[in-house]
Amino acid sequence: QVQLVESGGGLVQTGDSLRLSCAASGRIFSYYVMGWFRQAPGKEREFVTFISWSGGHTYYADSVKGRFTVSRDNAKNTVYLQMNSLKPEDTAIYYCAAGQTGVTLAAAYTAWGQGTQVTVSS
């Protein structure tokens, strides 16, 4: 049983930066990978990035590659999403999730946080 709690969202302007955190409790290391997803109103949930606990392997969606960076601190049971050069298109609720395989499909992740709102104004 794992619980995930996101934090760090807020209202920013185009070009600003935000750092999201995902604090995990429970048997988090029984999961192989931590993913970040986002969902805007009226749109499907979209893959952003993932990172593995053991090797730190990462993968990014094309829409955020070069602007976002995912990292993890195993000692703190926490993963982070550093978001730079934010655009209005990045506006969404951002979710942290845990899964057993490094894939981009939301259905492959079995533990989810409640999300944190990120709003980018122009």
Side-chain angles (χ1 to χ4, degrees):
Q1 296 180 342
V2 172
Q3 293 78 43
L4 305 174
V5 180
E6 303 94 336
S7 62
L11 174 62
V12 298
Q13 296 183 358
T14 299
D16 285 351
S17 297
L18 279 175
R19 187 194 189 207
L20 306 183
S21 298
C22 174
S25 60
R27 296 178 57 83
I28 188 61
F29 299 116
S30 66
Y31 293 83
Y32 171 69
V33 68
M34 300 294 294
W36 285 97
F37 293 78
R38 65 187 184 184
Q39 188 166 23
K43 296 186 177 180
E44 297 181 353
R45 189 160 297 189
E46 177 189 18
F47 169 79
V48 177
T49 183
F50 69 68
I51 185 168
S52 65
W53 286 115
S54 294
H57 306 292
T58 61
Y59 184 78
Y60 297 90
D62 288 342
S63 59
V64 306
K65 192 175 300 182
R67 299 187 298 122
F68 291 11
T69 303
V70 64
S71 61
R72 92 285 197 212
D73 187 333
N74 294 50
K76 295 182 178 180
N77 294 8
T78 302
V79 296
Y80 306 94
L81 183 64
Q82 178 66 46
M83 306 186 295
N84 298 327
S85 302
L86 283 164
K87 307 174 181 179
E89 306 90 87
D90 297 317
T91 295
I93 300 175
Y94 282 71
Y95 297 92
C96 177
Q100 297 294 342
T101 57
V103 296
T104 63
L105 296 176
Y109 293 77
T110 56
W112 292 82
Q114 295 300 306
T116 185
Q117 177 71 49
V118 173
T119 303
V120 185
S121 66
S122 59

